[in-house]
Structure formats: structure tokens, C-alpha cells
Amino acid sequence: MTTQKQTLGEFIIENQSSFRYSSGELSRLINSIRLAAKVVNHEVNKAGLVDILGTAGDTNIQGEDQQKLDVYANEKFIQTLTKRNIVCGIASEEEDSFITINSQDENNQNKYVVLIDPLDGSSNIDVNVSVGTIFSIYRRITPVGTPVQLEDFLQKGSEQVAAGYVVYGTSTMLVYTTGYGVNGFTLNPAIGSFYLSHPNMKFPEDGNIYSVNEGNYLDFPLGIKKYIKYCQEEAGERPYTSRYIGSLVSDFHRNMIKGGIYMYPKGSRNPNGKLRLLYECNPMAFIAEQANGKSSDGYTRTMDVEPTELHQRVSFVCGSKNMVEKVEEFMREFGE
Ligand code: AHG
Ligand code: MN
Ligand code: MN
């Protein structure tokens, strides 16, 4: 006999009372992300069919070409999040500065800010490889009813109230946490509903997968080089394997299920690292910690890093607890 799986909608309603702030607004916010994810999923799935591939012509704040789907996903998430009276500000990888919502309306009680990487792994779009969306949610710290300020976005990761990602892969999944563990929902495309398929996700304490762009090897800090050599040389005792998709969301997702570590350290080419603290690293770090994993820059816990700017980059080491601790040991011993 098959048991009826819970839908994401049902799960959100049932778990609303366990949210740290149980006013129902955060539930509605997650709901709107669910909706935008479905719309973006539909478009991502069509990418090979319609003339949506290629570069939209703009260059984003990081100096990278924007793919059309980046622009599309950015618009859809912003539209969906703006419509309901929940969010007072949005920061996105695709926007130079943050967006203020309803600042003119004195009655506006919107409490939440959302930081988002609307389409992660965009270089993989035109080769039919998994991409994703990453989001991070905070309560504003400035008074409600006033225009949102930069400080509302520059909060430490440890202040997040929710974070999650969508992976548009062989199946589309939405994985998120509100600080009470991590749950994964798989989209049934025939019905258009997400079903709870991965309850209470946990990183295995140890793993044998390391994910890093080894093309940058010569550029890496000595501690990271030594760790990679350790993974390769320990093969007799504990066979490690290398897997790197180049979409953080997908690499992270695989590592969480199978046990592994993702690394994007700084180096001379990326003096502060490549990944963005506020809408890539912090949300992933929150999910990792909620799933018994760990995340740091090699020394300091990711969620303890004090943000100074919206598009800040950091070194990122995230995954199975024992593996991240091993990297930290190597960083302490060998450093840069
Ligand atoms: P984005 O597509 O949002 O710019 O992010 C790309 C990120 C991340 O998803 C991925 O893990 C990493 O960049 C890959 O970088 P390299 O190509 O330098 O390995
Ligand atoms: Mn990204
Ligand atoms: Mn992106």
C-alpha cells in the first residue's frame, strides 16, 4: 500500500506554529517562493526548446554576462515577492542595489527581507545541466513602516529565519529550513505540486566526495592544496572521489545526500573567494548546520562573518562535519 505524501502546502500550514515567529507571514512568504519556483521551473525546462538561450546583453554587478534565464528568474521572484504584503526589501545577485517595497505606505507592516540568487549555475543552462535558486530570509532590524535600509540586509547569517534552495535537476526539488531541520520536496510536474520526499535531511558525518574547481589548484591556499592531496593520497584507506558540477546548489545537494565537501577558496584570481556571502554562502551554511553539516571560510564559521557589503565574496568550505573540520585543521597548520 502506498501512503499519501504530504504536499509542501500542507507541510507549511502544519508546521506554522513551530516557526520562531508564528504570525503566518513567514508561511505565506515560503508559499510565494514555492509559486515563483514553479514558474521558473517551467521556463528552465523549456530552455532547450525556445529561443531563450544566450546572453541577454547586460552585465551584472560581478562583471559577468547575464543569461536570459537569470533575468527571467530574477523578475519572477521579485514580482512574486513584491505582490504580497510581507517583504519590505529584496537584494538579488542580479541587482546592483537592494529593492525597497511599499516604502510610501505608512500602514505597511512588512517585516521580512529576502536575499536571493535567482539562478545559480547559470553557465550550465545552455548545456542542459542542473541549475538552482538560493534564498535567505531575515526579519528587518529597522522599524516597520519605514523604508528598508542597507543594515537590514547586512545581518550575520546566524540571524537568518529561513533559507533554502530550489534545484532544477532531473527532478525539481525545493529544500528549506526555518531553523527546525531541513526538509526536501520534489515537484510532481504532472500535477504541479511539491511533495515531501526528503524529510529531515542530514549530511552524513563523514563523506568521500570532494567538490572543488581543481582548475584553480595552483591558485589555492596551501592548506587547501594539502587537503586535496590528502584526499587523493588517502585513497588506499578511504577512497575519495571528486565531483564538481559547477552549480553550487547541485554540488551541495549531492553532498548533503551522499556525504561530501564543497570548497571555493580564495586565491590570487579570486582574492576574496568567488561566492557571495549573503545570498549563496549564508543560506547554504544555515541549511548545512541544520542538517548536521558545517560551513566556514576555513577558519571562521560562515554565519559568524560580519557582512560589510551586499555583494561581498568569501571563501567557502561547506559539507559533512568531519570533512570541514579536516580542512580547518589543514588551514590552521599550513595556512595560506
Ligand atoms: P552564478 O551562476 O549564480 O553566478 O553562480 C555560479 C557559482 C556557483 O554556482 C558555482 O559553484 C561556481 O560559481 C562555479 O564557479 P567556477 O566556474 O569558477 O568553478
Ligand atoms: Mn550563484
Ligand atoms: Mn546567479
Side-chain angles (χ1 to χ4, degrees), residues 34 38 186-195:
R34 168 184 75 150
K38 280 198 249 183
T186 303
L187 181 67
N188 179 342
I191 301 169
S193 294
F194 283 101
Y195 288 90

Side-chain angles (χ1 to χ4, degrees), residues 4-23:
Q4 182 62 46
K5 292 268 187 217
Q6 204 175 19
T7 66
L8 174 54
E10 289 163 353
F11 181 91
I12 290 170
I13 293 165
E14 262 176 45
N15 289 275
Q16 184 173 305
S17 57
S18 65
F19 291 159
R20 217 190 308 171
Y21 310 99
S22 60
S23 63

Side-chain angles (χ1 to χ4, degrees), residues 44-325:
V44 167
N45 283 171
K46 291 195 307 195
L49 293 171
V50 291
D51 182 30
I52 195 150
L53 299 179
T55 302
D58 296 336
T59 303
N60 70 13
I61 183 85
Q62 340 287 344
E64 299 153 338
D65 281 344
Q66 280 191 22
Q67 305 284 328
K68 278 187 183 172
L69 272 176
D70 292 31
V71 179
Y72 181 85
N74 188 45
E75 279 170 8
K76 284 298 155 209
F77 275 97
I78 290 173
Q79 268 171 21
T80 315
L81 292 168
T82 308
K83 273 187 204 145
R84 293 143 213 245
N85 290 325
I86 312 164
V87 178
C88 55
I90 302 170
S92 162
E93 183 193 15
E94 304 299 336
E95 305 284 336
D96 296 0
S97 43
F98 62 84
I99 295 166
T100 307
I101 299 166
N102 284 348
S103 61
Q104 309 307 332
D105 177 3
E106 283 172 14
N107 300 322
N108 125 57
Q109 295 296 302
N110 303 6
K111 291 185 193 69
Y112 292 96
V113 296
V114 179
L115 298 99
I116 190 158
D117 178 355
L119 207 78
D120 173 66
S122 41
S123 67
N124 280 324
I125 296 166
D126 49 2
V127 289
N128 203 1
V129 172
S130 299
V131 292
T133 295
I134 309 172
F135 61 91
S136 168
I137 302 171
Y138 294 84
R139 279 168 78 91
R140 66 182 302 175
I141 49 180
T142 55
V144 289
T146 63
V148 73
Q149 303 293 329
L150 183 59
E151 61 194 282
D152 293 314
F153 297 93
L154 300 186
Q155 300 189 52
K156 282 202 292 197
S158 53
E159 299 298 319
Q160 288 173 102
V161 293
Y165 61 81
V166 185
V167 54
Y168 311 99
T170 42
S171 295
T172 292
M173 279 190 72
L174 193 152
V175 174
Y176 78 100
T177 182
T178 54
Y180 298 91
V182 178
N183 291 286
F185 300 81
T186 303
L187 181 67
N188 179 342
I191 301 169
S193 294
F194 283 101
Y195 288 90
L196 178 60
S197 52
H198 295 63
N200 200 16
M201 296 179 85
K202 297 284 177 215
F203 269 93
E205 229 182 349
D206 232 318
N208 68 346
I209 297 171
Y210 69 97
S211 313
V212 64
N213 184 344
E214 279 185 85
N216 296 331
Y217 182 85
L218 294 176
D219 204 37
F220 287 155
L222 187 58
I224 299 290
K225 284 181 177 163
K226 292 275 189 188
Y227 177 74
I228 292 172
K229 283 290 157 227
Y230 160 86
C231 290
Q232 295 168 344
E233 282 160 10
E234 298 293 300
E237 274 174 50
R238 176 181 182 81
Y240 284 84
T241 189
S242 163
R243 290 283 183 277
Y244 190 72
I245 296 167
S247 294
L248 168 63
V249 165
S250 312
D251 281 308
F252 177 99
H253 186 73
R254 181 209 48 240
N255 290 348
M256 179 157 66
I257 291 171
K258 295 195 166 178
I261 188 167
Y262 178 95
M263 296 178 282
Y264 212 116
K266 65 181 178 184
S268 48
R269 274 186 240 169
N270 300 296
N272 300 313
K274 178 185 180 192
L275 299 182
R276 291 58 145 212
L277 174 63
L278 294 179
Y279 44 82
E280 291 183 315
C281 304
N282 271 338
M284 291 317 211
F286 190 20
I287 297 165
E289 288 194 10
Q290 285 293 317
N292 283 357
K294 230 185 148 174
S295 179
S296 77
D297 64 2
Y299 304 98
T300 307
R301 180 184 179 224
T302 304
M303 291 201 288
D304 284 341
V305 174
E306 197 74 60
T308 53
E309 52 188 293
L310 219 46
H311 298 286
Q312 183 171 345
R313 299 171 191 268
V314 278
S315 288
F316 189 54
V317 177
C318 181
S320 289
K321 187 167 169 284
N322 292 348
M323 298 179 86
V324 173
E325 284 174 359

